[in-house]
Amino acid sequence: MHRREVLQVLSAGIALPGLRAMSPEELWTRARDVHDRLRRETGRVLLVLTHQEDATVTAIAELIIPATDTPGATAARVN
């Protein structure tokens, strides 16, 4: 594990108790704000999966929630 990863884990551990007081809607809004701000300022996005893993998850989600007369998983961006 690199120093940067250690700092990220420690920071998350420090932040978690404060996040418990927030509702799921507030957490979602804050997470989207951070994601959008990062994209605007750096042109980067937060990634958890590699592109290949993301494509696999997208394909599986589309099999579970296919597009019919309503949007499927891919259109809903559930990956």
Side-chain angles (χ1 to χ4, degrees):
M1 184 177 275
H2 299 288
R3 286 181 298 201
R4 181 173 289 192
E5 293 169 328
V6 170
L7 289 173
Q8 288 173 339
V9 169
L10 289 174
S11 299
I14 292 168
L16 285 177
L19 296 177
R20 280 191 232 169
M22 300 172 76
S23 72
E25 292 79 19
E26 289 174 306
L27 287 172
W28 178 254
T29 301
R30 297 242 178 150
R32 292 303 304 169
D33 291 345
V34 167
H35 185 78
D36 291 341
R37 186 170 5 119
L38 180 68
R39 186 179 331 164
R40 277 192 315 272
E41 293 176 2
T42 66
R44 296 177 44 206
V45 294
L46 299 173
L47 296 177
V48 175
L49 303 175
T50 65
H51 292 295
Q52 184 176 9
E53 291 168 337
D54 184 53
T56 302
V57 169
T58 301
I60 293 169
E62 190 63 35
L63 290 172
I64 296 169
I65 308 169
T68 56
D69 55 338
T70 59
T74 304
R77 295 176 41 189
V78 297
N79 58 325

